[in-house]
Amino acid sequence: MTTDLFAALREGLPAHVLVTDADIAASYARDMAGLCEAGTPALVVLAETTEHVRHVMRVATRLRVPVVPQGARTGLSGGANAVDGCIVLSLVRMNRILSVDPVDRIAVVEPGVVNADLSKATAEHGLVYPPDPSSWETCTIGGNIGTGAGGLCCVKYGVTAEYVLGLEVVLADGEVLRTGRRTPKGVAGYDLTRLFVGAEGTLGVVTQATLALRPTPPPALVTVAQFASTTAAGVAVARIMAAGHTPSLMELMDGTTVRAVNAMSNMGLPDETAALLLVGLDTPEPAAELAAIEAICTEAGAFEAFTAEDAEDSAMFMQARRLALPALERLGTSLIDDVAVPRSRLGELLDGVAAIAERFETRIGVCAHAGDGNTHPIVVFDATDPAAVERAHAAFDAIMRLGLDLGGTITGEHGVGLLKREWLATELGPVGVRAHLSVKSAFDPLGILNPGKVI
Ligand SMILES: Cc1cc2nc3c(=O)[nH]c(=O)nc-3n(C[C@H](O)[C@H](O)[C@H](O)COP(=O)(O)OP(=O)(O)OC[C@H]3O[C@@H](n4cnc5c(N)ncnc54)[C@H](O)[C@@H]3O)c2cc1C
């Protein structure tokens, strides 16, 4: 850490928000994406107010120091990883829910609010903030906005971008930009709010968000269907949607994932399955519709389909699904893909991933937000074996190629970060890249905001 940087920051920040101890600062170096490079931060600022953030950005602009915004660091693309000599700007202490308005159905929050805490706070008003990443008990709203996070119930209620009405953003030079509105409607000017959703901290630092809420639906009742192949499960997903059902969740775990979850948690999921499909409905009387969904699953080839006894039983299955990622990560070093395809192509993607696993002789467990066509093929390998590492990377790349060929995207919800940066140009094309670079330089002409990420 340079003395100049520290002295300049101290001019506008209290000592207790600065972490200068090299070992502690280093513990903020990375998010949860394995194998992504991470630099050594000069120091960490644990901002408590918008003024703190403004001061950091003014100093960073003056001294040309990179700034890496961070939430809870549960990201899976390296988007929150430090670069050498940067200021890590952690927003976790800005964690106040400023207001919940049941008439306007909005909440105004600081970025460090944990997703699940917001849901708890709005529940007493009979309202919910729907986007619910599996990491909801730890990840922050700022990080959710940074990545444009999805989640389990997004198949019915939509993703983060659909709930962010307005933002307060500190720009690279320390100026404060207010975007958006508190109203359901509003079309004044360009939609800058959406621009910041999914920008991964490369365009500005979100310091406040106005979020839309919805009335809390009844807890979901879940139908569980087991298939002898992922292909058949993909067919069931397509038929359920084509039949006009509107599940509040539709999640898939392949056999490898199911066994990993059982090994980690003793949840007693059916071990012999090739694919487990969970379909939930949160309507007041879901029984008849779930029976129809069970029948569709059976016709599509499910060898077992049943509906959980009650909401509590259903929640147990959802908890098992939430454990998929950590359970697979225990099996070895992992590369987590996030390919999303139109749901009509889901079966082809699942087949293709199985073929890729075979071709590259590598283990791939798949869990998916199946109703959104958003899959997480997780390539698990032995990092001490160079040949296995090479095969894993080749498989990881082949999955993204396949996703694009099927009309999909390289990332449905985790973001580009560092992990998929080399693939972005392939998806965007040269004109798309040029437009992205123009936007980046308009908001961050010195290139100090989360450099090396996304574009
Ligand atoms: C077990 C597990 C399950 C997961 N399940 C899901 C899932 O279902 N759906 C899903 O979408 N993701 C999921 N994730 C990934 C991750 O939780 C999300 O990407 C989440 O949105 C990251 O939030 P965070 O607070 O940890 O942000 P971080 O990881 O700290 O940051 C994420 C990005 O946002 C930027 N950022 C953070 N705060 C701000 C801010 N205030 N202003 C501007 N930029 C900011 C960072 O620079 C970085 O680029 C999962 C992760 C784990 C570990």
Side-chain angles (χ1 to χ4, degrees):
M1 179 203 22
T2 67
T3 326
D4 280 357
L5 176 61
F6 179 72
L9 287 171
R10 272 296 277 126
E11 281 166 22
L13 297 176
H16 72 271
V17 306
L18 285 161
V19 178
T20 53
D21 178 276
D23 289 338
I24 301 177
S27 71
Y28 286 81
R30 56 171 59 254
D31 64 15
M32 296 185 87
L35 300 184
C36 281
E37 68 198 36
T40 306
L43 48 70
V44 179
V45 176
L46 298 163
E48 293 175 344
T49 64
T50 299
E51 275 313 308
H52 290 170
V53 176
R54 295 188 71 189
H55 184 69
V56 168
M57 293 316 305
R58 282 194 211 104
V59 168
T61 288
R62 197 167 83 226
L63 301 181
R64 307 283 198 270
V65 178
V67 175
V68 177
Q70 280 187 355
R73 289 186 288 122
T74 66
L76 293 171
S77 69
N81 282 11
V83 295
D84 280 337
C86 75
I87 301 169
V88 162
L89 178 53
S90 171
L91 284 307
V92 291
R93 283 193 185 166
M94 290 181 68
N95 61 358
R96 288 177 307 156
I97 296 171
L98 301 171
S99 63
V100 176
D101 186 327
V103 176
D104 293 338
R105 292 187 180 165
I106 55 174
V108 180
V109 304
E110 292 184 332
V113 169
V114 169
N115 182 299
D117 290 346
L118 178 58
S119 289
K120 276 179 215 143
T122 58
E124 58 195 63
H125 300 274
L127 295 169
V128 66
Y129 173 68
D132 60 341
S134 297
S135 52
W136 71 317
E137 282 168 324
T138 43
C139 66
T140 65
I141 296 296
N144 295 168
I145 292 170
T147 55
L152 271 53
C153 71
C154 295
V155 61
K156 179 168 179 181
Y157 295 108
V159 294
T160 299
E162 280 138 273
Y163 289 87
V164 184
L165 297 178
L167 293 171
E168 176 187 271
V169 183
V170 176
L171 300 176
D173 60 3
E175 290 293 299
V176 175
L177 169 71
R178 289 197 173 75
T179 74
R181 54 203 158 81
R182 289 173 63 93
T183 53
K185 292 165 120 183
V187 290
Y190 298 135
D191 192 346
L192 297 183
T193 307
R194 277 240 175 184
L195 187 59
F196 284 99
V197 179
E200 303 187 41
T202 62
L203 301 180
V205 184
V206 174
T207 46
Q208 201 180 98
T210 303
L211 305 172
L213 305 172
R214 294 181 65 102
T216 310
L221 199 61
V222 170
T223 287
V224 183
Q226 287 196 68
F227 297 85
S229 72
T230 48
T231 316
V235 170
V237 169
R239 289 189 188 168
I240 290 166
M241 298 310 281
H245 298 293
T246 309
S248 59
L249 59 94
M250 183 134 75
E251 297 289 317
L252 181 139
M253 291 186 273
D254 74 352
T256 304
T257 309
V258 166
R259 287 183 281 282
V261 170
N262 272 342
M264 182 169 141
S265 68
N266 274 326
M267 279 198 145
L269 299 173
D271 242 2
E272 294 313 313
T273 197
L276 197 69
L277 185 65
L278 308 175
V279 186
L281 289 181
D282 61 0
T283 49
E285 299 290 341
E289 199 176 340
L290 284 174
I293 287 172
E294 269 182 42
I296 292 175
C297 289
T298 306
E299 277 160 29
F303 59 85
E304 187 185 24
F306 64 92
T307 294
E309 276 174 20
D310 50 29
E312 210 174 298
D313 205 18
S314 300
M316 192 276 291
F317 283 104
M318 297 325 299
Q319 185 53 21
R321 165 61 187 91
R322 288 196 166 97
L323 291 177
L325 208 54
L328 283 166
E329 284 180 324
R330 287 169 79 235
L331 301 180
T333 303
S334 55
L335 277 167
I336 303 171
D337 242 315
D338 175 36
V339 170
V341 293
R343 65 171 81 89
S344 55
R345 316 289 306 262
L346 179 68
E348 287 169 82
L349 182 71
L350 295 171
D351 283 350
V353 169
I356 288 167
E358 212 174 299
R359 184 164 120 227
F360 293 102
E361 295 170 23
T362 192
R363 175 147 58 160
I364 304 179
V366 182
C367 55
H369 306 299
D372 293 324
N374 186 190
T375 63
H376 299 314
I378 299 173
V379 185
V380 183
F381 57 100
D382 174 2
T384 62
D385 174 356
V389 174
E390 201 174 311
R391 289 198 308 275
H393 279 282
F396 182 74
D397 286 349
I399 292 167
M400 280 188 281
R401 181 71 267 164
L402 175 65
L404 290 176
D405 290 346
L406 292 173
T409 172
I410 55 169
T411 173
E413 58 182 15
H414 293 167
V416 175
L418 289 170
L419 194 62
K420 300 194 164 172
R421 201 169 168 229
E422 287 172 15
W423 276 84
L424 187 67
T426 311
E427 177 163 336
L428 296 182
V431 180
V433 168
R434 207 172 65 223
H436 273 66
L437 289 172
S438 304
V439 171
K440 172 71 175 165
S441 71
F443 281 95
D444 182 20
L446 301 176
I448 55 170
L449 271 167
N450 213 1
K453 315 295 167 48
V454 185
I455 191 86

